Amino acid sequence: MTNQPQIKYRQDYRPPSHLISDIHLDFNLNEKKTRVTATSQIQRQTSEDTPLILNGENLILISVSVNDQIWPHYSQKDDHLIIEQLPKAFSLTIVNEIHPDKNTALEGLYLSGQTLCTQCESKGFRHITFFLDRPDVLARFTTRILADKKRYPYLLSNGNKIRQGELKDGRHWVEWADPFPKPSYLFALVAGDFDVLRDQFTTQSGRSVELALFVDKGHLDRADWAMSALKKAMKWDENRFGLEYDLDIYMIVAVDFFNMGAMENKGLNVFNSKYVLAKTETATDKDYLHIEAVIAHEYFHNWTGNRVTCRDWFQLSLKEGLTVFRDQEFSSDSGCRAVRRIENVRLMRSAQFAEDASPMAHPIRPDKVMEMNNFYTLTVYEKGAEVIRMLHTLLGESVFQAGMKRYISRHDGCAVTCDDFVQAMEDASGLDLTLFRRWYSQSGTPELIIRDHYDAQKQQYHLQVSQITPPTADQEKKYPLHIPLDIELYTKKGEVIPLQNQGQPIDSVLNVIKAEQTFIFDSVSSEPVPSLLREFSAPVKLDYPYTDQQLICLMQNARNDFSRWDASQRLLNSYIKKNIAEFHENEPLTLPLHLIEVFRHVLLNDNLSPALIAEILTIPSENEIAELSCFIDPDAIHFVRQKWLRFFSASLSETLWDQYQKHQTPIYRVTHTDTAKRALKNICLQYLAFGRTDIADQRVKTQYQTSSNMTDTFAALTAAVAAQLPCRDFLLSDFESRWHSDPLVMDKWFFLQATRPEKEVVDKVRALLTHPSFSLMNPNRVRALLGAFASSNPVVFHAKDGAGYTLFLEILTTLNTQNPQVAARLIEPLIRFKRYDSVRQKWMKQVLEKLKALNNLSKDLNEKILKALED
Ligand code: B3K
Ligand code: ZN
């Protein structure tokens, strides 16, 4: 912990002074005190007598030996062990001790309930032993774990189990060998007692892989879904990317204390139990979907991340952007592509664009970093995936796959850069990607300003496209980018107009490469309705003066489902923006009755997937609305959104009720047809909840009481809370008494408590900090209660009396020392103070100043606070 900013720059990369070809780790495991003996085979890469400088934090050093001789020539300074007078090649043995039970930051080796487990990405390995803890040092690992057999019957690490044995004193040991050289961040160790779900997968080349899923005792009935997701992902990666698993065993362990979703350690994934455990009674359709996606994501890392890894942490998007793209494609191939795309785009527009507009703005490949953990961001992950998707759009599937093959065969077993990836794509396609590379270095959300002109006489249509990227906190000057702009033209009746110029067909993806460009289309016999930025073909904002008629035409006729949804959102957003202005002028809100028939038409359209209808009918969230303008007024946004909910509810009530009844799923199955039906049914219920109170109350209560699955139960509860129905407290306490001993289910309850649209919620949240199911030590609980409060209840969190902010000052002060990573995620809404009015700004700045004054401020918080206050 330090207050001194220590910034690292991408440009300062230097290859390591030494290579470590092999490391043998010996763990004498105990939750209170673990002794680690690490023996590494090291070769100096420089000709001069360069000292070996190893990373190590919070370690108690016992001894250093070189070639089996105690070595006195070392010193310790600032989390480094500096060893001198070394030969060119040597064997180094270091013995040190650590205290897993004191490790509340959950980085390195720590205790999750009764389980000992590790988290090493990005810099956790240095909390285990002294090492060259950087991703470009790849070593072959063998790991021997010795521990009490009763307490820790399972001792797991990467690779294959090669030996095991027992001691007379009740301890046992297991030795693992991972044949693939890997960086230290992919190391993993788990020790505990589990129920194990075992299965098997035969690869396309006929090898048999043993699959094992380790869950807390008693949770075997919640493991099946994750196991089938794993097998599905393995098959898909063979079919679509031609990539086959490489070890003889693939293990997944679910733990309760985990800072993020999951971790792709070689052959031994460690997962937040939230992304593994599911059964009908405890998990919602969304949970099932997320589990499948995260299981797939971590599995896909085996090639994009593990076999080909990052040269340095600035290159994080090399593995994360690409792997998110792969998991998105997996989910799209196995479900409804349009709906998956809509979910991704909602996240980009509501949260990634907000990150671009924040003091933490950075390119997908950052140039400077103070605390690496702060850069596992939506920009690196989601925008990174959008950049890969743009390459995919420009190259097409088969050339993209040729590029992937080239990338993997060229760099297998290596630590490489984002440039290496683009180079492989360039070589495979023959395209000039020089300008495209700018997406990696330029931050911010570009805006495409499109105007058009129709020349009836010449039957010509002109699209004038200009692009501008506004300055961001990290970069003043911006340059034009290579933006793939996917378009289609329709007649007013909704017929497609082929794109052509001088008799030649034009591809629907236009290459926007300059600040200003005009595209001309011939043989356009009537003024067209343009469908622009189809599929969100680039992570940009679009400014085009659509009329209601044009958007309605697209909603009803676009061939592409995503475009239908996008048109509906643009339509709603245009009125919502107007309403916010009206709210500020104290004027009555314009609620366009003529749109109701359009939405009713969608509701009744049997040709659309019910899941797509549900998306089209979803009014943008408060966070999505916030991104429609620079200045955020949470009160106005909340007021306007509530009005829309009631407006939809009142105007469509009968149709909603009909559709609600029509889309029942009497038996619970997680199939695409059924989850789509439930999505529509439950969005109908959300609106019905805002209808006449007595009827709404009865309907919601009935669904809750007759529900056989968590999807319907949670939907009913959510509706009751959102519409503040009389039954809500009764239902919430019923839920609590039923699930109080099931932490993952209780997270849903904490979420609902924290997102109640009621002013007293601050006090409720404060009171819930002492609820028996709550613990500030568990990141899932913190996210469910406090994360939800700050991010999903903006109107109460940002209350002008500052009560929400004050609560957060207290929480962040505790988490700063306890778990800096979790604290740094939680502080995000506060560092974005600039977008609010002066009263709120003052409160938020005060909180940041107080935190800044802490004498033990973590690097994680320090980086964010400094950026916010200097912005
Ligand atoms: N690679 C991990 C994330 C590690 C985060 C470290 N603070 C999970 C993933 O993206 O697959
Ligand atoms: Zn990942």
Side-chain angles (χ1 to χ4, degrees):
M1 308 237 180
T2 170
N3 260 323
Q4 294 310 310
Q6 292 166 323
I7 301 173
K8 287 220 163 69
Y9 295 89
R10 179 169 65 87
Q11 293 303 347
D12 290 346
Y13 173 81
R14 298 288 175 277
S17 61
H18 295 72
L19 288 189
I20 305 180
S21 58
D22 298 86
I23 175 168
H24 177 75
L25 288 162
D26 197 304
F27 286 86
N28 191 341
L29 213 59
N30 183 289
E31 56 284 359
K32 287 204 165 29
K33 188 161 80 181
T34 286
R35 180 171 281 230
V36 187
T37 305
T39 304
S40 305
Q41 307 311 318
I42 306 183
Q43 300 86 39
R44 193 175 66 225
Q45 298 299 295
T46 55
S47 48
E48 17 11 312
D49 179 12
T50 322
L52 173 65
I53 304 176
L54 300 176
N55 311 96
E57 291 181 27
N58 299 324
L59 305 175
I60 301 153
L61 180 62
I62 309 288
S63 67
V64 178
S65 316
V66 171
N67 295 334
D68 293 327
Q69 303 292 311
I70 286 291
W71 199 254
H73 312 291
Y74 71 84
S75 56
Q76 275 186 276
K77 193 170 176 250
D78 299 337
D79 298 330
H80 289 113
L81 174 65
I82 304 155
I83 312 177
E84 291 174 288
Q85 301 180 32
L86 289 163
K88 177 113 179 139
F90 56 96
S91 160
L92 172 71
T93 302
I94 296 177
V95 182
N96 67 277
E97 279 175 1
I98 44 181
H99 301 285
D101 63 341
K102 301 237 163 57
N103 183 353
T104 58
L106 315 184
E107 195 183 16
L109 179 68
Y110 67 91
L111 202 53
S112 166
Q114 304 295 306
T115 302
L116 275 167
C117 65
T118 55
Q119 171 53 36
C120 292
E121 187 177 356
S122 56
K123 297 175 178 176
F125 194 71
R126 65 189 64 184
H127 293 262
I128 296 175
T129 185
F130 294 94
F131 198 68
L132 284 178
D133 190 15
R134 43 188 287 170
D136 58 350
V137 173
L138 279 71
R140 263 181 303 270
F141 279 66
T142 50
T143 308
R144 183 179 181 273
I145 313 165
L146 171 69
D148 180 66
K149 189 170 181 186
K150 247 211 187 105
R151 199 174 160 101
Y152 302 110
Y154 290 95
L155 303 174
L156 313 174
S157 192
N158 318 84
N160 302 312
K161 194 192 272 188
I162 51 168
R163 268 184 287 274
Q164 57 188 332
E166 297 201 5
L167 304 188
K168 290 207 181 83
D169 58 3
R171 291 186 297 167
H172 69 148
W173 60 271
V174 178
E175 192 169 332
W176 295 83
D178 181 357
F180 293 97
K182 65 167 177 289
S184 48
Y185 84 86
L186 289 173
F187 168 77
L189 176 155
V190 174
D193 194 4
F194 305 98
D195 276 344
V196 191
L197 179 64
R198 294 191 188 275
D199 209 325
Q200 182 272 345
F201 180 81
T202 306
T203 69
Q204 59 185 6
S205 69
R207 280 187 317 105
S208 174
V209 180
E210 186 188 333
L211 309 176
L213 190 47
F214 298 80
V215 297
D216 275 356
K217 289 243 157 217
H219 280 166
L220 216 47
D221 61 341
R222 301 186 192 197
D224 294 334
W225 178 257
M227 182 60 91
S228 28
L230 174 62
K231 289 188 285 183
K232 199 166 144 189
M234 293 176 91
K235 190 89 213 121
W236 182 89
D237 215 14
E238 292 183 346
N239 292 345
R240 175 102 185 251
F241 278 77
L243 295 171
E244 182 177 324
Y245 187 60
D246 49 11
L247 284 166
D248 299 336
I249 181 165
Y250 192 88
M251 296 177 283
I252 294 176
V253 184
V255 300
D256 292 329
F257 286 67
F258 207 63
N259 278 346
M260 60 272 168
M263 179 64 212
E264 69 264 26
N265 317 300
K266 183 80 191 186
L268 176 57
N269 287 186
V270 178
F271 266 66
N272 185 329
S273 54
K274 177 179 164 65
Y275 293 108
V276 173
L277 303 177
K279 64 176 176 181
T280 308
E281 297 77 21
T282 61
T284 62
D285 291 344
K286 280 226 161 74
D287 292 330
Y288 278 98
L289 201 74
H290 292 152
I291 289 170
E292 189 172 88
V294 181
I295 292 267
H297 179 97
E298 305 311 332
Y299 173 72
F300 298 152
H301 266 314
N302 190 53
W303 279 100
T304 51
N306 300 5
R307 288 284 290 252
V308 183
T309 195
C310 301
R311 185 192 72 173
D312 55 75
W313 289 118
F314 297 100
Q315 316 293 333
L316 180 61
S317 201
L318 172 80
K319 74 177 177 82
E320 294 305 345
L322 178 55
T323 306
V324 171
F325 170 77
R326 276 153 52 69
D327 85 53
Q328 288 177 351
E329 281 301 292
F330 166 73
S331 298
S332 299
D333 283 349
S334 41
C336 177
R337 179 166 282 272
V339 173
R340 296 290 84 82
R341 189 68 189 131
I342 289 166
E343 287 161 355
N344 302 337
V345 173
R346 275 195 203 278
L347 187 60
M348 283 296 296
R349 286 183 177 152
S350 64
Q352 197 281 321
F353 285 4
E355 193 163 88
D356 277 340
S358 84
M360 274 297 288
H362 55 277
I364 62 166
R365 183 191 56 202
D367 284 318
K368 50 179 187 183
V369 162
M370 203 189 288
E371 170 51 60
M372 190 55 215
N373 285 321
N374 284 341
F375 287 83
Y376 287 78
T377 58
L378 288 158
T379 302
V380 167
Y381 276 64
E382 304 299 320
K383 185 176 176 186
E386 293 300 324
V387 171
I388 304 291
R389 185 170 295 282
M390 284 191 285
L391 279 173
H392 186 268
T393 303
L394 291 170
L395 273 63
E397 168 71 4
S398 66
V399 179
F400 180 86
Q401 289 298 349
M404 280 299 301
K405 282 211 166 60
R406 208 175 271 238
Y407 167 66
I408 284 178
S409 61
R410 207 179 258 179
H411 301 298
D412 188 11
C414 301
V416 301
T417 64
C418 297
D419 273 337
D420 293 319
F421 179 81
V422 181
Q423 192 60 51
M425 289 292 160
E426 193 162 61
D427 294 347
S429 65
L431 285 182
D432 179 359
L433 297 173
T434 313
L435 182 56
F436 187 85
R437 285 181 172 82
R438 196 169 275 160
W439 281 105
Y440 284 87
S441 54
Q442 185 161 293
S443 57
T445 312
E447 288 171 24
L448 277 184
I449 300 135
I450 304 187
R451 296 293 178 266
D452 56 356
H453 166 71
Y454 178 64
D455 186 333
Q457 220 162 30
K458 289 193 189 150
Q459 304 221 322
Q460 250 185 8
Y461 180 63
H462 294 220
L463 267 188
Q464 288 131 19
V465 182
S466 51
Q467 58 163 306
I468 179 161
T469 306
T472 47
D474 63 325
Q475 265 176 4
E476 192 57 36
K477 184 104 185 78
K478 305 286 181 184
Y479 302 89
L481 293 156
H482 184 171
I483 299 175
L485 172 62
D486 191 349
I487 70 153
E488 219 169 30
L489 300 180
Y490 291 90
T491 65
K492 291 201 175 65
K493 286 196 195 122
E495 294 139 352
V496 178
I497 303 171
L499 303 179
Q500 49 181 300
N501 183 285
Q502 298 182 349
Q504 296 300 314
I506 303 179
D507 192 86
S508 74
V509 179
L510 309 178
N511 284 294
V512 177
I513 50 173
K514 295 188 194 141
E516 285 179 19
Q517 251 169 296
T518 301
F519 298 89
I520 301 173
F521 304 92
D522 292 333
S523 312
V524 181
S525 55
S526 63
E527 185 171 9
V529 177
S531 172
L532 302 169
L533 200 68
R534 295 190 327 144
E535 294 290 347
F536 192 65
S537 59
V540 302
K541 289 185 182 172
L542 170 67
D543 174 341
Y544 174 81
Y546 274 116
T547 62
D548 284 9
Q549 285 69 27
Q550 287 179 312
L551 290 172
I552 292 168
C553 170
L554 293 175
M555 269 179 80
Q556 293 176 337
N557 300 299
R559 291 193 294 185
N560 167 305
D561 283 347
F562 177 84
S563 302
R564 288 179 179 235
W565 169 80
D566 206 21
S568 75
Q569 296 295 296
R570 278 181 203 283
L571 199 52
L572 292 175
N573 284 339
S574 67
Y575 282 93
I576 288 172
K577 263 173 102 164
K578 190 170 152 74
N579 294 157
I580 289 175
E582 289 163 344
F583 176 90
H584 287 142
E585 298 297 322
N586 268 326
E587 283 171 13
L589 305 193
T590 312
L591 296 171
L593 268 171
H594 68 284
L595 291 191
I596 288 300
E597 283 323 302
V598 179
F599 281 93
R600 192 190 315 279
H601 193 77
V602 173
L603 247 176
L604 294 170
N605 189 342
D606 287 338
N607 296 324
L608 298 180
S609 149
L612 180 68
I613 299 177
E615 292 293 347
I616 293 178
L617 249 84
T618 301
I619 297 185
S621 68
E622 293 187 16
N623 289 330
E624 285 173 277
I625 298 173
E627 290 319 301
L628 298 177
S629 57
C630 299
F631 174 72
I632 302 176
D633 178 350
D635 297 317
I637 294 173
H638 183 71
F639 181 83
V640 167
R641 192 166 182 278
Q642 291 287 314
K643 270 272 184 280
W644 270 87
L645 291 170
R646 289 182 197 280
F647 173 52
F648 260 35
S649 170
S651 335
L652 290 166
S653 63
E654 275 170 33
T655 321
L656 287 165
W657 180 238
D658 289 346
Q659 295 302 306
Y660 174 80
Q661 288 170 301
K662 193 173 147 194
H663 289 89
Q664 297 293 327
T665 51
I667 301 165
Y668 184 81
R669 287 172 314 198
V670 190
T671 61
H672 291 294
T673 319
D674 282 6
T675 53
K677 277 189 184 169
R678 280 190 291 275
L680 180 52
K681 177 191 75 174
N682 285 325
I683 190 95
C684 290
L685 186 72
Q686 298 303 309
Y687 285 117
L688 290 166
F690 284 88
R692 227 182 76 183
T693 309
D694 52 343
I695 303 176
D697 203 57
Q698 194 49 49
R699 285 174 174 168
V700 167
K701 225 167 29 193
T702 305
Q703 170 155 327
Y704 178 88
Q705 280 159 350
T706 56
S707 163
S708 64
N709 62 78
M710 184 52 80
T711 306
D712 288 341
T713 305
F714 188 63
L717 262 185
T718 307
V721 169
Q724 302 189 49
L725 292 176
C727 64
R728 68 192 187 285
D729 283 316
F730 166 73
L731 299 188
L732 281 168
S733 70
D734 180 80
F735 190 91
E736 180 192 10
S737 58
R738 176 137 185 235
W739 295 110
H740 62 91
S741 52
D742 194 317
L744 284 179
V745 181
M746 281 303 282
D747 282 347
K748 299 183 191 305
W749 185 85
F750 284 124
F751 175 89
L752 287 175
Q753 293 288 10
T755 54
R756 293 168 80 122
E758 298 154 28
K759 208 174 166 317
E760 311 72 49
V761 170
V762 192
D763 299 331
K764 277 221 159 77
V765 171
R766 190 185 286 281
L768 287 172
L769 296 173
T770 56
H771 188 281
S773 304
F774 187 82
S775 161
L776 212 48
M777 305 293 267
N778 186 301
N780 284 354
R781 296 308 87 74
V782 174
R783 282 186 283 260
L785 183 68
L786 298 156
F789 174 54
S791 306
S792 306
N793 199 351
V795 71
V796 188
F797 176 71
H798 289 285
K800 275 198 168 164
D801 64 1
Y805 304 142
T806 311
L807 171 67
F808 261 52
L809 172 61
E810 296 160 32
I811 300 289
L812 288 168
T813 305
T814 308
L815 286 174
N816 168 54
T817 45
Q818 200 172 283
N819 189 331
Q821 278 186 49
V822 169
R825 296 235 171 224
L826 218 54
I827 202 176
E828 273 294 329
L830 288 170
I831 64 169
R832 300 178 181 185
F833 60 81
K834 271 212 167 149
R835 297 181 66 188
Y836 295 82
D837 60 86
S838 57
V839 176
R840 292 182 167 102
Q841 279 203 24
K842 203 170 147 211
W843 272 113
M844 288 191 257
K845 271 201 258 186
Q846 225 173 63
V847 171
L848 296 181
E849 294 286 0
K850 285 191 178 150
L851 289 168
K852 191 176 165 207
L854 293 175
N855 58 16
N856 56 359
L857 186 63
S858 64
K859 264 213 267 182
D860 311 55
L861 282 186
N862 191 27
E863 176 168 42
K864 292 196 172 181
I865 294 172
L866 282 183
K867 280 191 175 164
L869 294 176
E870 81 196 6
D871 181 18

